[in-house]
Amino acid sequence: MALLRILHYPDPILKQVCAPIDQIDDGLRTLARDMAETMYAAPGVGLAAPQIGISRRLIVLDCSSRDEAPELLSCVNPEIVEREGEAYEEEGCLSVPEYYARVSRSARVKVRYLDLEGNRVEREADGLLAIAFQHEIDHLDGILFIDHLSPLKRGLFRKKYQKILEQEKERL
Ligand code: K1U
Ligand code: ZN
């Protein structure tokens, strides 16, 4: 198992549209396991392959609460096939450290993907899992949660993030 380095905005890999995965093999299963370990260590509730520098359509998520058993989902080529309702909740991103903002999303989604055995899965989600699916699938299309901000909030973000990056450089 390995902890992987998480890329930070404005790394150009985060803006790429990821390629579909055409082969599910042991290499992919190892990558998904390493991504899950990296997500749990961060800690986060999701992670997409481009965040660790791999431009392929793979995400992992676990939105179970502390008092529930862990429920790790590893999703190959995930797509949202139905959406319903509206949600406006605060989000963060492991690739945009120390910045949080409310983002407009669908409240419920139906997602189709392949699991790590190549089985076709269709799953409905609401609450945090619905938001996490949208956040992670956006990553596969080169979209970050800050891309959903209004022009005014985007301007405020740029100023604040500049300072965050400068502080990060000083720490290195
Ligand atoms: O993709 C990422 O950057 C991970 C991100 C995903 C996310 C999904 C939905 C809402 C917000 C963020 C995170 O996991 S940020 C960390 C986080 O939200 C969290 C961390 C520990 C416990 C609970 C939440
Ligand atoms: Zn993110």
Side-chain angles (χ1 to χ4, degrees):
M1 300 251 266
L3 281 184
L4 307 166
R5 190 168 73 88
I6 297 175
L7 302 181
H8 287 175
Y9 175 80
D11 192 299
I13 293 182
L14 295 169
K15 297 306 295 171
Q16 290 177 7
V17 176
C18 298
I21 291 169
D22 53 16
Q23 199 177 335
I24 298 179
D25 56 16
D26 284 346
L28 188 76
R29 285 184 275 272
T30 301
L31 172 64
R33 222 178 31 232
D34 290 345
M35 283 174 56
E37 195 190 3
T38 304
M39 172 189 74
Y40 286 124
V45 294
L47 192 70
Q51 292 181 277
I52 47 104
I54 295 179
S55 201
R56 290 286 180 275
R57 301 189 82 82
L58 173 67
I59 62 173
V60 295
L61 307 100
D62 189 343
C63 290
S64 58
S65 57
R66 268 194 208 161
D67 53 349
E68 287 174 332
E71 193 191 2
L72 175 63
L73 301 175
S74 301
C75 311
V76 178
N77 299 336
E79 23 173 356
I80 295 172
V81 293
E82 280 178 36
R83 311 173 166 267
E84 220 189 308
E86 280 176 31
Y88 188 56
E89 299 292 339
E90 187 163 271
E91 294 184 25
C93 179
L94 298 174
S95 296
V96 187
E98 298 177 50
Y99 186 79
Y100 304 87
R102 277 153 72 101
V103 170
S104 187
R105 300 280 191 190
S106 301
R108 290 170 293 284
V109 291
K110 188 191 275 185
V111 183
R112 194 177 288 158
Y113 59 89
L114 298 175
D115 67 17
L116 292 176
E117 303 308 319
N119 301 308
R120 209 173 116 124
V121 179
E122 219 169 69
R123 185 181 177 123
E124 290 180 9
D126 60 9
L128 178 60
L129 183 59
I131 291 170
F133 265 124
Q134 291 168 82
H135 181 113
E136 300 311 332
I137 293 172
D138 264 1
H139 271 301
L140 304 184
D141 291 320
I143 298 167
L144 298 174
F145 81 113
I146 49 170
D147 295 323
H148 292 285
L149 300 177
S150 66
L152 177 68
K153 283 193 179 159
R154 190 69 195 260
L156 294 171
F157 160 75
R158 283 208 187 92
K159 281 192 193 141
K160 190 170 176 193
Y161 195 68
Q162 195 59 42
K163 287 191 187 140
I164 292 169
L165 286 183
E166 280 162 19
Q167 284 164 357
E168 205 173 65
K169 257 191 221 156
E170 280 167 22
R171 278 199 295 266
L172 291 175

